[in-house]
Amino acid sequence: MARDAWYKDMNFYQIWIRSFKDGNGDGIGDLMGVYEKLDYIKSLGMDGIWFSPIYASPNEDFGYDISDYYSIHPDYGTMDDFDKVLQAAHAKGLKIIMDLVINHTSDKHPWFIESCKGKDNPYHDYYIWRPSRKKNKRPNNWDSLFEGKAWEYNTQTGEYYLHLFSKGQPDLNHANPKVREEIKKIMRFWLDKGVDGFREDVITFISKPDTFVNDYKMPAVKGLFEYSFGPHLLEYLTEYRQVALEYDCFLLGETPIMAPNRALSLIAEGEGQVLDMMFHFQHMQADCFMTDFIQRPFRLKKMKRAFSTWQNALEGKAWNTLYLENHDHSRIISRYGDEFYHTESGKMLAAMYLLQKGTAFVYQGQEIGMTNVYLENIEDYRDIQLKNAFEIGRKLIGRVKALEYARKSSRGSARTPVHWNNERNAGFTEGTPWFDVNPNYAKINIADQMQNTNSLWHFYRKLLAYRKKPVIRYGTYTEMNPKDRKIYMYERKYENTSVLVICSFSKLSRKYKLPSSYHEGSSEIVFNNYETVSHDKLSPYQVLVIEKTTSV
Ligand code: GLC
Ligand code: CA
C-alpha cells in the first residue's frame, strides 16, 4: 500500500471555474482569478484543488462536453496560465486534480466530426453507431439522461449515434482499442505536466453491453442498468489504472447508482484495484428519488444510513470521499439545512460530514454557506439537465409543481458567482457577470466571514485543520441511535482518543442523551455552534463535538 497514503487526510477544494473569480473583467471566471486566490484556498486549510473541466468546449454542458482535451478554453486563459497556476499551487503545497471526461466528447470534437463523415472514416468507430432497428426506428428504446432518446440520426452515414447525455455529447466507443490509446495519451499529457490525479466523470458508464436490446424493466431512464457497470468496465479501468501507476497520482471515479458491495470491486485496496476512491450518490438522496429533481421530504434516517453503510463497508478495505456539495447539486443549507438557521445549520452540516473517515471535498462557496438562487424562468438556470427534467416533469406533475422542483434542485444554484465581498457583483467581476449573482451576497460573503471569527468560514477552517488529527484519519466509526429521526450521533475512536459528534437536524430544541462516558471531566467540547451547552437538550441545528482522552 505504498502509494495510497498521501491523499488520505487531504482536503480538496472544488473549483467550477466559470463562477469562481474573474481575473480580466470579461464577466467570466478564469485561471488568473484562480491564481489570485491560491493563498485564499490555502488559508482555508486546503491541500488540493479539483478543477471541473477547463478544456476547450462549446459549453453545452459547461465543459463536460470537450472539443479538445489538450487545450484550455479561451474563456479561462491559455496553457501558459494553467502552467503558472499549477506551479504556484505546487509551490504552496496544493495538489491539482483534473476532470477527465471520457464517457463522451462534444459533438464539435474533430473525432466526432470525422466519425460522422462515413462508415469508412478512420474515426467512425471512435463512437457508437448502430443502424435503425426497423425502418426509421432507433436501434433501441434507451432514454438519454439529458435530452430525449439516447440515439440521434446522422444523415451522412444513415445511422444513429449513442448519447447518454445531450445530443451534443456523443458517447465514445471504449471497445475500440484506438480510443483507449487516445485516453491514455490524454492522461499522460496532463500527468507529464505534473497534475496529481483525475476525477473520472461518470466512469461506470463507459462500457456498453455487447448488444443493444430494448430495456423493458425500467419505466423511465431506460437503459440505465444496462450501461452502468457494463461488461468490460473492469478491463478498461485496469488499462487506465496502469497509466496512473506510472505516476504518483490518484484516480477518483464519479459513480452514479453505486452501492458499497459493488464499489469494493473497484476501490478495495490491493491487487485489482482500479480506482483510489469514488464519489457515490447515496447520501445525496435523502430528499429525493433517483434524481435530485424528484423531491421528497428530507429523511435524516436515510441520510444516516447511507453514510454509515459506506463508513462501515469500506473500513479497513477502501477509502471514502466526503462531500455534500459539488457543481451538480443545489446548495446543501437549502437542502438538508435551513436558510433561516443559516450559520447554525451550515456549521452542523460541515462538522457532520467532515469528521467522518475519508478524503474531504468542499465546493466553492460552500465554506460561506451560499444558498440556492430563485430565478424566474427555467432557461435562466442555464442548465441542460434541468431543461430536460422540467419537460418530463411538466407532463407528469404539471407546470407549477415542476417549476418548484426545478428551482429547488437546479445545478444552477451551485453555479452562481462566488461571493467574495459585499461590493458590486459580489466582487466576482469588474464587468458584467455571465450568470446571475445571488442577491443575498451582501449578507453572505467571504470578506465579512473572514473578519468575523464566529462565522461559518472560520468554522470550516477549524474543522479542516482538526481533520489532520490521527483520530479523524485513522479512527473507527460507530453510529449511535441510528433510529433517532432528528439526531445524528457517531463516535470516532483511535488509540486513547475518542471523538463524539452530535448533530441535531431539528428546527426546534431537542432532547438527547449524552453517553455517560462523556460526562467525565476528561472530555472537552472542541466544536459547538452555540455559546451554550446542555447535557440533555440541543438547540435548533446544534452540533457538539466532544473529544475525550483516556490514559493508557
Ligand atoms: C457528470 C458531471 C456533470 C455532467 C455529466 C455529463 O455527472 O459531474 O456535470 O453534466 O457528468 O458529463
Ligand atoms: Ca475572465
Side-chain angles (χ1 to χ4, degrees):
M1 258 180 272
R3 62 183 302 286
D4 72 356
W6 60 265
Y7 58 81
K8 289 202 167 173
D9 58 4
M10 284 184 63
N11 301 322
F12 274 91
Y13 191 76
Q14 184 193 348
I15 293 185
W16 196 80
I17 197 166
R18 205 169 181 79
S19 289
F20 181 64
K21 175 78 177 105
D22 180 15
N24 67 353
D26 67 354
I28 300 173
D30 50 41
L31 284 164
M32 281 303 105
V34 174
Y35 185 79
E36 266 174 55
K37 295 298 180 187
L38 288 175
D39 283 331
Y40 166 77
I41 293 168
K42 187 77 192 165
S43 73
L44 187 55
M46 294 298 167
D47 311 292
I49 293 171
W50 152 32
F51 276 112
S52 275
I54 57 176
Y55 318 99
S57 160
N59 275 342
E60 202 176 298
D61 189 19
F62 291 112
Y64 285 91
D65 48 329
I66 298 174
S67 54
D68 181 358
Y69 290 89
Y70 299 99
S71 73
I72 300 293
H73 196 298
D75 282 354
Y76 309 141
T78 62
M79 193 58 88
D80 284 346
D81 296 333
F82 177 77
D83 291 338
K84 199 169 147 191
V85 167
L86 181 65
Q87 265 168 34
H90 279 169
K92 293 174 200 297
L94 292 168
K95 303 271 188 193
I96 300 281
I97 303 299
M98 303 298 276
D99 222 302
L100 188 66
V101 187
I102 52 174
N103 177 67
H104 46 267
T105 67
S106 159
D107 63 346
K108 305 292 179 306
H109 194 293
W111 298 338
F112 188 70
I113 295 172
E114 287 301 310
S115 180
C116 287
K117 288 185 180 162
K119 293 180 187 164
D120 302 333
N121 189 289
Y123 290 93
H124 185 255
D125 207 24
Y126 269 43
Y127 295 86
I128 299 169
W129 293 97
R130 287 293 179 279
S132 52
R133 199 174 0 145
K134 282 186 220 136
K135 201 163 181 286
N136 299 332
K137 275 257 195 176
R138 293 186 173 85
N140 73 8
N141 69 352
W142 289 5
D143 294 313
S144 151
L145 294 165
F146 279 7
E147 208 175 12
K149 291 285 170 188
W151 298 94
E152 188 65 15
Y153 188 67
N154 173 259
T155 46
Q156 284 167 284
T157 61
E159 299 164 300
Y160 292 82
Y161 68 86
L162 180 71
H163 63 91
L164 299 183
F165 293 89
S166 77
K167 288 177 195 158
Q169 294 169 296
D171 282 56
L172 278 167
N173 178 18
H174 289 251
N176 178 352
K178 284 195 200 137
V179 168
R180 302 205 296 278
E181 286 313 311
E182 297 277 9
I183 285 157
K184 290 185 254 179
K185 203 169 123 199
I186 295 164
M187 292 174 78
R188 289 202 179 92
F189 173 82
W190 291 97
L191 289 167
D192 284 337
K193 274 190 173 293
V195 309
D196 303 286
F198 297 104
R199 174 254 189 201
E200 299 180 330
D201 190 59
V202 289
I203 200 62
T204 36
F205 291 177
I206 62 171
S207 165
K208 313 300 189 274
D210 298 325
T211 51
F212 289 89
V213 292
N214 276 346
D215 178 1
Y216 295 114
K217 288 176 283 208
M218 292 284 284
V221 276
K222 289 196 172 55
L224 183 61
F225 289 95
E226 311 300 318
Y227 58 75
S228 296
F229 223 100
H232 304 287
L233 179 68
L234 266 172
E235 240 169 84
Y236 304 156
L237 288 183
T238 305
E239 266 189 61
Y240 305 147
R241 179 68 168 180
Q242 291 311 314
V243 178
L245 289 172
E246 295 163 18
Y247 300 79
D248 185 22
C249 72
F250 78 72
L251 297 179
L252 158 55
E254 186 207 21
T255 57
I257 48 165
M258 180 59 69
N261 275 350
R262 194 160 238 197
L264 284 170
S265 67
L266 305 177
I267 58 174
E269 287 167 8
E271 194 80 15
Q273 180 181 14
V274 289
L275 296 171
D276 293 288
M277 296 179 275
M278 58 174 55
F279 285 136
H280 69 85
F281 288 55
Q282 291 195 321
H283 64 290
M284 298 308 293
Q285 288 168 343
D287 63 351
C288 60
F289 176 70
M290 294 283 286
T291 83
D292 291 13
F293 184 81
I294 306 173
Q295 286 148 48
R296 292 179 163 177
F298 172 70
R299 274 174 55 216
L300 179 65
K301 270 164 74 177
K302 204 172 166 207
M303 188 205 74
K304 297 198 292 186
R305 201 185 314 129
F307 274 120
S308 294
T309 305
W310 282 83
Q311 289 284 310
N312 294 331
L314 270 50
E315 178 63 36
K317 296 188 186 136
W319 203 246
N320 258 300
T321 58
L322 305 170
Y323 77 93
L324 285 180
E325 283 193 9
N326 61 37
H327 64 293
D328 287 334
H329 300 288
S330 60
R331 296 287 186 174
I332 201 67
I333 292 180
S334 309
R335 281 184 71 174
Y336 290 6
D338 189 325
E339 289 178 16
F340 181 76
Y341 288 105
H342 180 262
T343 309
E344 293 84 353
S345 68
K347 289 178 176 175
M348 182 278 289
L349 289 165
M352 183 277 293
Y353 89 105
L354 286 174
L355 298 178
Q356 299 191 26
K357 192 168 186 166
T359 298
F361 292 80
V362 176
Y363 179 68
Q364 65 188 34
Q366 185 188 336
E367 73 273 31
I368 51 168
M370 283 180 66
T371 57
N372 284 356
V373 68
Y374 297 90
L375 303 176
E376 200 51 40
N377 305 303
I378 288 302
E379 298 72 41
D380 300 341
Y381 283 96
R382 302 187 189 217
D383 175 2
I384 187 161
Q385 180 189 42
L386 185 71
K387 241 173 84 187
N388 196 38
F390 179 72
E391 280 314 312
I392 299 169
R394 200 171 48 94
K395 288 177 206 142
L396 294 175
I397 51 177
R399 196 186 142 73
V400 174
K401 193 81 190 158
L403 200 56
E404 180 198 322
Y405 278 10
R407 289 209 178 96
K408 279 197 189 147
S409 67
S410 173
R411 309 188 294 180
S413 279
R415 300 173 176 192
T416 61
V418 168
H419 303 170
W420 292 100
N421 55 44
N422 64 9
E423 290 158 31
R424 205 169 71 93
N425 301 326
F428 163 70
T429 180
E430 304 274 305
T432 309
W434 75 276
F435 189 26
D436 295 61
V437 176
N438 192 319
N440 65 11
Y441 69 90
K443 239 176 45 205
I444 301 171
N445 67 70
I446 291 172
D448 283 356
Q449 292 201 23
M450 283 178 82
Q451 294 278 313
N452 168 7
T453 51
N454 237 334
S455 67
L456 179 56
W457 190 88
H458 278 277
F459 203 81
Y460 263 96
R461 187 166 186 243
K462 282 178 217 149
L463 280 166
L464 292 166
Y466 190 80
R467 281 181 35 81
K468 300 294 172 186
K469 291 207 162 204
V471 62
I472 303 302
R473 173 166 170 163
Y474 301 108
T476 53
Y477 166 97
T478 312
E479 188 186 343
M480 286 151 149
N481 306 333
K483 294 224 167 79
D484 197 308
R485 285 177 23 249
K486 290 291 175 189
I487 294 170
Y488 183 16
M489 199 190 289
Y490 63 85
E491 187 182 48
R492 305 292 314 275
K493 245 186 181 156
Y494 183 68
E495 292 179 341
N496 58 345
T497 306
S498 314
V499 174
L500 183 69
V501 182
I502 308 164
C503 305
S504 170
F505 279 76
S506 174
K507 288 185 204 319
L508 308 169
S509 61
R510 177 89 182 176
K511 281 214 160 76
Y512 81 113
K513 231 177 137 199
L514 184 67
S516 57
S517 59
Y518 285 87
H519 285 265
E520 301 152 16
S522 67
S523 20
E524 185 198 344
I525 296 177
V526 282
F527 291 95
N528 181 1
N529 56 351
Y530 282 81
E531 301 282 311
T532 51
V533 55
S534 139
H535 273 189
D536 57 9
K537 218 151 102 200
L538 295 169
S539 297
Y541 295 101
Q542 186 160 22
V543 60
L544 292 174
V545 180
I546 311 176
E547 186 185 308
K548 189 182 65 169
T549 314
T550 43
S551 43
V552 267

